[in-house]
Amino acid sequence: MDTKKIVVGALVVFVLYVIITQPVKAADFVQMGFQGISDAASGIGEFMTELVS
């Protein structure tokens, strides 16, 4: 089998296991991820604003 398929499959199983066994912790991880994306987008916006100003 392809190694990439095995790794992706194992990762999917692990993520599902964490979501099922620890839903609160999984929700916290998702919230942290979205917060990080939001902070990055805000930082890029501020950088672009400073470049234009």
Side-chain angles (χ1 to χ4, degrees), residues 8-21:
V8 170
L11 184 62
V12 168
V13 169
F14 175 72
V15 168
L16 290 174
Y17 172 77
V18 170
I19 290 172
I20 291 169
T21 59

Side-chain angles (χ1 to χ4, degrees), residues 1-32:
M1 286 189 82
D2 190 24
T3 305
K4 184 178 178 181
K5 287 182 182 180
I6 294 171
V7 170
V8 170
L11 184 62
V12 168
V13 169
F14 175 72
V15 168
L16 290 174
Y17 172 77
V18 170
I19 290 172
I20 291 169
T21 59
Q22 300 176 2
V24 174
K25 190 176 241 184
D28 289 341
F29 286 141
V30 171
Q31 184 178 9
M32 284 189 299

